[in-house]
Amino acid sequence: MYHYQNLEYVSLQDISGCLNAAFSDYALPVHLSEADLSGLFLAGGIDRSLSFGAFFEGQLVGCMLNSRDIYQGYRAAFDAATGVIPEHRGKQAFADLFAFARRTMKQYQIQRYYLEVLQQNTPAISLYHRHGFSVTREFVVFSGSALPGSQLPERVQYTAFSAFAFPKTDGVHRNEPSYEHTDSLLRLCPDLYDVAYVEAQHISAWCVFEKANGQIMQFGWERIQDLREIVQWLLARYSSVTVKNVDSKERQLLDMLASLPFRMVARQYEMVCRFDDDGN
């Protein structure tokens, strides 16, 4: 018999063990240590009171880690990770866990529940559709490596995320970030990020990147060529760079990345369940 509760008092050891087992049969298995999970909770703004687990005979066999914030103008929650241990799939555990989560999140006045899923994961997409989710956006994920002999472009400057003058970039086009890359999420751990930019009379291009590995989190540009210089600077500095969740409608940005030594490694859907539109 399964029972369901939030994860407020569940140990990181139990949660990481559940997630590692749940993703053990995936194409890219997950191997989260307790330290990895602690970092995810902090940087991802995971709210234990709105994260939930399915338990069988006292063992955590499925879990749903959620963050919450204002996103696209709504009180939103975001599914940072959900998994059910293989031997407990097909036994209504996910459906009942989601039903429990939906009821609880609505009590917290959450209006929209978002998640991301790989486009080739058709079983998961079908499952989410059955539970009331619909596609809102399409994202593209890129990976790039520096060409031999690459040099750091001289015009590019960088500074700490918390020190960058974002108000000076109001006239610069900015691609709308995914939930995980919004300003409010990045501000939870600002020391993890820097901003690279080009400035002459004014800031004409910038991007936020993770200091540890160069992963690009946000873009802004007036001239795409200036942004191209910044990306080349990152490639030269880090050798390899990942760009996650570029909106598929940003054709200029996609074309620029494709013109550099980047390759597309994944396509994702952003999906949403609109709690404020249903009567459940």
Side-chain angles (χ1 to χ4, degrees), residues 200-235:
Q201 287 77 25
H202 60 278
I203 294 171
S204 58
W206 56 269
C207 73
V208 180
F209 65 95
E210 194 168 343
K211 289 193 286 189
N213 54 28
Q215 177 174 309
I216 299 175
M217 320 298 282
Q218 293 185 4
F219 292 98
W221 70 94
E222 182 179 78
R223 295 181 68 251
I224 197 69
Q225 284 302 114
D226 290 345
L227 183 61
R228 179 187 172 93
E229 276 192 50
I230 293 172
V231 176
Q232 289 174 315
W233 180 87
L234 286 167
L235 285 170

Side-chain angles (χ1 to χ4, degrees), residues 67-132:
S67 171
R68 62 168 162 165
D69 200 358
I70 301 298
Y71 181 57
Q72 298 184 353
Y74 295 96
R75 293 187 299 275
F78 176 78
D79 182 352
T82 289
V84 176
I85 292 175
E87 54 266 37
H88 291 275
R89 296 175 193 157
K91 300 179 180 180
Q92 196 69 17
F94 173 81
D96 290 345
L97 176 61
F98 179 69
F100 178 85
R102 178 197 290 262
R103 290 194 300 271
T104 306
M105 286 191 282
K106 290 185 72 173
Q107 290 171 3
Y108 279 78
Q109 298 184 322
I110 298 298
Q111 298 171 291
R112 304 282 168 100
Y113 186 38
Y114 290 87
L115 57 82
E116 293 167 11
V117 59
L118 291 170
Q119 291 187 18
Q120 68 265 33
N121 192 350
T122 52
I125 293 168
S126 296
L127 176 66
Y128 295 137
H129 277 306
R130 290 198 298 273
H131 287 281

